[in-house]
Amino acid sequence: MNNPEILNSIRSLISTAPDATSLLTEVVGLLRRERPHYHWVGVYLLQGEELVLGPYVGKPTVHTRIPLHQGICGAAASSGQTLIVDDVNADPRYLACSLETRSEIVVPIRHQNRVLGEIDIDSDHPAAFTPLDRDLLEAVAGLIASELL
Ligand code: SME
């Protein structure tokens, strides 16, 4: 599917999913299936000063709770801006999840400038994320934000 087709599928999921957890489970599964370079796809939800792991696909991670001042995840949530890291091993903020991971994108989920959580994606390929991925994931975050209130 191209980006607009994925976004349309997510609109349908929003209209049918019984609750936010089911919706996020469907969304991370769809992204994983449709974009083979997305090897780990998860959503973290902001609870107080911590990011708490919600639905994900990929290997289990030890980072199920990330304080806002830690990791690439914390940096993206604190700044409210998308972060793309082409080489995770060269970024001192990086919290390793899998040894195979080479690059990462983190996209905040915001509602009226308040960060509710973020979409976190790891790839086993270096510099895997392009502006097309960023556009897609920022649009996905925009669609699902109001479902998380
Ligand atoms: N790499 C992230 C931690 C989450 S795991 O990738 C699933 C980070 O540096 O914040």
Side-chain angles (χ1 to χ4, degrees):
M1 286 190 221
N2 61 27
N3 282 3
E5 288 166 340
I6 291 181
L7 295 171
N8 273 334
S9 296
I10 291 175
R11 285 187 190 95
S12 313
L13 292 172
I14 288 172
S15 62
T16 54
D19 53 50
T21 304
S22 316
L23 172 65
L24 295 178
T25 303
E26 295 287 342
V27 167
V28 296
L30 175 71
L31 292 171
R32 171 76 186 95
R33 283 196 304 280
E34 289 296 326
R35 293 290 179 269
H37 60 296
Y38 294 3
H39 293 105
W40 191 96
V41 182
V43 172
Y44 283 89
L45 297 170
L46 188 60
Q47 288 183 11
E49 297 291 300
E50 269 188 339
L51 293 157
V52 179
L53 183 60
Y56 70 94
V57 260
K59 290 186 193 164
T61 173
V62 294
H63 301 296
T64 55
R65 302 181 82 90
I66 303 176
L68 276 178
H69 60 274
Q70 279 184 19
I72 295 164
C73 285
S78 306
S79 68
Q81 301 300 317
T82 296
L83 275 179
I84 293 178
V85 177
D86 287 339
D87 176 1
V88 290
N89 294 311
D91 193 317
R93 298 170 298 185
Y94 176 62
L95 300 170
C97 165
S98 146
L99 285 179
E100 283 86 42
T101 298
R102 302 292 302 281
S103 58
E104 178 163 5
I105 183 170
V106 187
V107 178
I109 302 168
R110 288 177 312 200
H111 186 262
Q112 294 173 350
N113 281 334
R114 185 162 66 96
V115 173
L116 305 175
E118 60 193 20
I119 302 168
D120 177 24
I121 302 183
D122 291 342
S123 181
D124 297 350
H125 306 313
F129 302 104
T130 70
L132 258 183
D133 296 298
R134 180 193 193 111
D135 289 350
L136 170 66
L137 297 167
E138 288 182 349
V140 172
L143 286 177
I144 63 179
S146 52
E147 308 304 313
L148 304 183
L149 295 173

